[in-house]
């Protein structure tokens, strides 16, 4: 049997973890809303989906922030690389869709 005080303390930590997880999901959703807008802008102006210089800067910046926050910088870099790959995939899809739509703009689809 778990001591009631320990059970209460554990429940408090778990509630904090649940709240943080919810905040992370909402923050990621907001980040992806912004990166979607960037993808549209890049496609509109025929810019490449990836920006290696920006990605390198962001990784170094995040590693510094992680170190300052006592978070493993390697973990932070892996996490950001995962997000960057997903953002690039979205940007590629936006560009492909825009290219496909532009190619069909002059096509008459009526029978």
């Amino acid at each position: 049997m778990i001591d009631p005080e320990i059970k209460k303390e554990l429940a408090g930590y778990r509630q904090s973890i649940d709240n943080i997880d919810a905040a992370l999901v909402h923050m990621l959703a907001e980040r992806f809303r912004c990166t979607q807008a960037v993808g549209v802008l890049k496609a509109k102006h025929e810019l490449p989906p990836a920006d290696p210089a920006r990605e390198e800067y962001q990784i170094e910046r995040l590693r510094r922030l992680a170190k300052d926050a006592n978070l493993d910088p390697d973990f932070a870099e892996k996490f950001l690389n995962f997000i960057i790959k997903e953002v690039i995939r979205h940007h590629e899809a936006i560009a492909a869709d825009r290219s496909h739509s532009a190619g069909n703009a002059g096509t008459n689809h009526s029978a």
Side-chain angles (χ1 to χ4, degrees):
M1 181 100 189
I2 297 175
D3 181 298
E5 286 302 312
I6 294 172
K7 194 173 183 178
K8 182 178 177 181
E9 185 176 359
L10 183 59
Y13 286 132
R14 288 180 172 164
Q15 183 61 54
S16 292
I17 291 167
D18 292 350
N19 291 342
I20 293 165
D21 287 347
L24 284 170
V25 167
H26 288 281
M27 302 254 334
L28 283 170
E30 182 61 25
R31 189 185 197 287
F32 276 99
R33 276 190 283 279
C34 292
T35 60
Q36 284 292 105
V38 168
V40 169
L41 186 64
K42 284 181 171 184
K44 181 178 178 181
H45 296 282
E46 298 180 0
L47 297 169
D51 183 345
R54 166 76 177 163
E55 294 158 22
E56 185 179 334
Y57 169 79
Q58 283 296 91
I59 288 167
E60 287 305 314
R61 179 179 162 272
L62 194 71
R63 287 185 67 86
R64 283 192 309 273
L65 289 169
K67 188 176 178 184
D68 291 346
N70 294 315
L71 178 67
D72 179 2
D74 292 336
F75 169 77
E77 182 174 348
K78 289 176 192 173
F79 180 71
L80 186 61
N81 278 324
F82 175 77
I83 291 171
I84 289 170
K85 285 177 187 166
E86 188 66 11
V87 167
I88 292 169
R89 189 180 69 78
H90 289 182
H91 288 186
E92 290 169 343
I94 291 166
D97 185 53
R98 185 167 180 85
S99 175
H100 176 74
S101 297
N104 290 333
T107 306
N108 184 352
H109 293 286
S110 60

